[in-house]
């Protein structure tokens, strides 16, 4: 069993426990469920294109930064021009929680991506109830039919969808309803990074598909390479979070790409 299989197995156990504690109706009755969602798709087009991530840890890197608060970091991300915010909500492997979104939702005015392993309808109601605007669908975790059904459900709830792919086979998960397609530069099964592979996949997408480069962007050169190859957006977490002061790291990055 690889790490992705292990995560999904654990995730399904967590979902069963959550369903037993909080019903879908209770999620619908929460404060944020009726709010009008913000569009990451439009912000990608009109702002920096950077989806800046708050991430404490990962299975491949261990603890990245567990000293800073979500509000301190994401407020700076917004102030310095991020198109959107990505917040990890997986606790066991990434040290995240719903609380991280709840604590910042009323304090920022840009879209929030709930980044998690979405494998059950219940999770989409959870996402909506926390104030998320966008959900991540990871093709490696789903069938093409599930991707279609979860996209339909997301749109019914007013959520946008970022579909993540890594292989040519996963291109089959794409359908015209998808809002954005993320191409993960890192293989979730062995954690190897290959930017050229991502460029090849991007070139296989239908014309005018909004594309987001995800993970493995370690240098300014990596960013410029992917930008030159036509990526519209860039999901970046470790690049900023590995610094003692992620807010300052993001400000410096934005200043450099504007030069």
């Amino acid at each position: 069993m690889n790490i992705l299989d292990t995560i999904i197995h654990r995730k399904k156990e967590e979902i069963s426990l959550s369903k037993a504690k909080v019903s879908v109706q209770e999620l619908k009755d929460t404060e944020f469920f009726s709010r009008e969602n913000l569009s990451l798709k439009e912000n990608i087009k009109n702002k920096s294109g950077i989806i800046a991530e708050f991430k404490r840890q990962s299975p491949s890197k261990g603890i990245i930064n567990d000293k800073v608060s979500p509000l301190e970091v994401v407020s700076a991300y917004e102030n310095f021009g991020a198109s959107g915010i990505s917040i990890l909500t997986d606790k066991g492997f990434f040290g995240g929680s719903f609380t991280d979104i709840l604590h910042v939702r009323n304090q920022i005015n840009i879209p929030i991506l709930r980044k998690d392993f979405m494998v059950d309808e219940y999770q989409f109601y959870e996402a909506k109830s926390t104030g998320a605007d966008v959900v991540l669908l990871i093709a490696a975790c789903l069938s093409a039919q599930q991707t279609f059904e979860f996209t339909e459900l997301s749109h019914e709830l007013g959520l946008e969808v970022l579909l993540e792919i890594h292989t040519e086979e996963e291109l089959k998960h794409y359908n015209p309803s998808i809002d954005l397609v993320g191409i993960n530069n890192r293989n979730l099964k062995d954690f190897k990074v290959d930017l050229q592979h991502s460029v090849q996949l991007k070139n296989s997408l239908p014309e005018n598909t909004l594309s987001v480069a995800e993970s493995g962007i370690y240098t300014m050169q990596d960013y410029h390479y992917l930008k030159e190859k036509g990526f519209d957006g860039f999901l970046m977490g470790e690049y900023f979070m590995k610094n003692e002061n992620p807010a300052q790291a993001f400000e410096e990055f934005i200043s450099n790409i504007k030069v």
Side-chain angles (χ1 to χ4, degrees):
M1 184 180 288
N2 60 45
I3 185 62
L4 182 58
D5 293 334
T6 301
I7 291 171
I8 297 306
H9 179 75
R10 178 84 63 82
K11 185 61 56 180
K12 290 179 178 178
E13 292 178 341
E14 291 174 3
I15 294 165
S16 294
L17 292 173
S18 296
K19 286 179 176 179
K21 292 178 182 178
V22 182
S23 70
V24 168
Q25 186 56 53
E26 288 175 298
L27 294 174
K28 289 180 178 181
D29 291 337
T30 54
E31 173 190 356
F32 290 125
F33 204 87
S34 60
R35 68 179 280 273
E36 185 175 345
N37 288 57
L38 303 172
S39 175
L40 179 60
K41 184 165 56 175
E42 292 306 312
N43 272 20
I44 290 287
K45 295 175 184 176
N46 299 319
K47 292 192 175 185
S48 66
I50 307 298
I51 307 168
E53 188 162 86
F54 183 83
K55 177 167 67 173
R56 292 184 178 86
Q57 66 188 59
S58 75
S60 61
K61 300 293 182 178
I63 299 295
I64 298 170
N65 189 336
D66 60 356
K67 305 300 183 186
V68 291
S69 76
L71 182 57
E72 173 191 350
V73 173
V74 304
S75 295
Y77 286 164
E78 178 183 26
N79 290 340
F80 295 123
S83 289
I85 303 298
S86 171
I87 297 181
L88 275 294
T89 57
D90 176 81
K91 183 176 181 179
F93 295 90
F94 290 88
S97 74
F98 294 130
T99 304
D100 291 340
I101 298 181
L102 291 168
H103 278 176
V104 306
R105 175 66 281 172
N106 280 335
Q107 309 303 318
I108 60 173
N109 294 300
I110 56 174
I112 295 176
L113 164 70
R114 178 196 177 180
K115 194 176 183 190
D116 209 320
F117 299 84
M118 309 292 281
V119 294
D120 189 285
E121 286 188 3
Y122 182 84
Q123 293 171 285
F124 296 84
Y125 292 94
E126 280 183 326
K128 179 69 172 175
S129 73
T130 63
D133 302 282
V134 192
V135 289
L136 180 72
L137 298 185
I138 302 174
C141 304
L142 306 168
S143 68
Q145 181 62 29
Q146 284 177 310
T147 299
F148 176 79
E149 291 173 356
F150 286 161
T151 300
E152 293 294 299
L153 174 59
S154 298
H155 289 169
E156 287 174 14
L157 296 174
L159 300 166
E160 289 184 345
V161 169
L162 171 61
L163 171 67
E164 177 180 302
I165 63 173
H166 181 74
T167 67
E168 290 185 13
E169 180 68 20
E170 289 169 2
L171 287 166
K172 295 177 182 177
H173 288 252
Y174 175 82
N175 67 73
S177 295
I178 296 291
D179 299 290
L180 309 106
V181 176
I183 299 178
N184 198 334
N185 302 307
R186 182 184 290 119
N187 188 322
L188 289 175
K189 297 180 179 178
D190 60 19
F191 298 121
K192 292 180 180 177
V193 173
D194 186 347
L195 300 186
Q196 183 56 43
H197 175 70
S198 297
V199 171
Q200 292 171 354
L201 276 182
K202 182 206 175 306
N203 292 337
S204 298
L205 291 171
E207 191 175 355
N208 299 321
T209 301
L210 277 178
S211 58
V212 178
E214 299 180 14
S215 302
I217 304 173
Y218 297 130
T219 66
M220 190 63 68
Q221 289 74 21
D222 291 340
Y223 166 81
H224 283 301
Y225 172 75
L226 293 165
K227 182 74 173 177
E228 289 167 4
K229 294 300 181 181
F231 279 92
D232 303 290
F234 306 85
L235 177 56
M236 301 174 64
E238 185 183 332
Y239 187 100
F240 311 120
M241 292 296 296
K242 68 183 179 182
N243 292 272
E244 185 176 331
N245 188 335
Q248 182 180 349
F250 183 73
E251 181 183 11
E252 291 173 356
F253 177 82
I254 290 293
S255 296
N256 286 330
I257 67 173
K258 287 181 176 178
V259 172

